[in-house]
Amino acid sequence: QLEDIVNYKAFEQAIDGYSKVKKRNRDILTLIDFSKPSTEERLYVFDMKNQRLLFTSHVAHGKNSGGNYAPSFSNKNGSHKSSLGFYVTGTTYQSRTNGYSLLLEGLEKGINDNALARSIVIHAADYANPDIIESSGRLGRSFGCPALPEDKNEVIINAIKGGALLFIYADDQDYLAKSAILSQPTTKKSTSEDNTESATM
């Protein structure tokens, strides 16, 4: 039921990581698909236990990652670029400049593990509101944070905070070559488990 909503390749990689990352402690998975333009909703929150899509949203990328599309990524402080890969959500806090915000811990060495040091967090921004698209032709851009529309920020943060997995995807071969998570072998399930999953997902 997701084929007209979610990029299958992005979803497949997100599910692969979800099955491998042990640090998560919640059955919530967030996928941000930066192969899509900022003019489209490209953030998805899934309840994996109940197999439901909870939220979709626009989301901004870093200003040096690109214009409407984000083809360039970095883990470096001061790059003002987004970082790909898997994260675990942390605690919330009130920022003087950005309001209600959510810490992100990057799990992939050399890819996004500087997220905390770079202050890459989820927060609201007026430039991420979709009504700006009509005048600008795209969303505004952040310093690297996945910034959300102001009317969706709080409800999405509350749904994913505290140990949920988040995956930022792009069709990027360099990321695939470097990701230690996606390169891990997948543990083979029993036949009965395979049949159950294929019937329900």
Side-chain angles (χ1 to χ4, degrees):
Q1 298 176 9
L2 297 174
E3 58 261 17
D4 295 327
I5 303 171
V6 181
N7 174 348
Y8 177 77
K9 189 175 178 182
F11 185 68
E12 184 178 44
Q13 289 182 18
I15 295 295
D16 189 19
Y18 179 84
S19 70
K20 294 171 180 176
V21 172
K22 306 304 180 187
K23 196 164 186 176
R24 64 174 179 83
N25 57 27
R26 298 194 58 206
D27 295 322
I28 298 294
L29 171 63
T30 302
L31 166 64
I32 296 174
D33 182 1
F34 279 156
S35 70
K36 292 187 174 184
S38 70
T39 50
E40 295 182 17
E41 290 190 328
R42 52 184 181 170
L43 179 145
Y44 314 90
V45 179
F46 302 96
D47 176 346
M48 299 300 290
K49 184 176 181 180
N50 296 301
Q51 299 182 358
R52 292 174 55 216
L53 176 60
L54 300 178
F55 302 102
T56 63
S57 177
H58 289 83
V59 59
H61 55 256
K63 69 176 189 176
N64 288 337
S65 280
N68 191 25
Y69 286 87
S72 182
F73 306 94
S74 176
N75 191 38
K76 292 180 180 178
N77 194 28
S79 68
H80 293 171
K81 292 184 179 184
S82 299
S83 300
L84 299 178
F86 290 94
Y87 301 75
V88 167
T89 62
T91 56
T92 61
Y93 68 99
Q94 283 288 339
S95 163
R96 265 195 276 180
T97 53
N98 295 318
Y100 193 51
S101 303
L102 176 64
L103 294 173
L104 298 175
E105 178 186 354
L107 301 179
E108 304 210 61
K109 186 172 177 60
I111 297 173
N112 63 19
D113 59 332
N114 283 331
L116 289 173
R118 294 178 62 204
S119 299
I120 300 301
V121 301
I122 294 179
H123 64 79
D126 56 2
Y127 57 76
N129 295 333
D131 57 8
I132 202 171
I133 295 170
E134 186 173 348
S135 59
S136 302
R138 58 167 171 79
L139 291 186
R141 295 162 298 167
S142 68
F143 283 175
C145 297
L148 296 178
E150 293 170 306
D151 64 344
K152 290 190 174 182
N153 183 64
E154 186 172 351
V155 66
I156 289 177
I157 284 180
N158 285 338
I160 70 175
K161 65 184 179 181
L165 194 68
L166 180 144
F167 177 54
I168 299 181
Y169 168 85
D171 189 8
D172 188 285
Q173 295 305 309
D174 185 57
Y175 166 71
L176 286 177
K178 293 178 179 177
S179 175
I181 292 175
L182 291 179
S183 64
Q184 290 176 26
T186 303
T187 303
K188 178 63 179 173
K189 297 180 180 180
S190 67
T191 303
S192 61
E193 286 177 314
D194 286 341
N195 289 341
T196 300
E197 181 168 314
S198 63
T200 55
M201 288 299 286

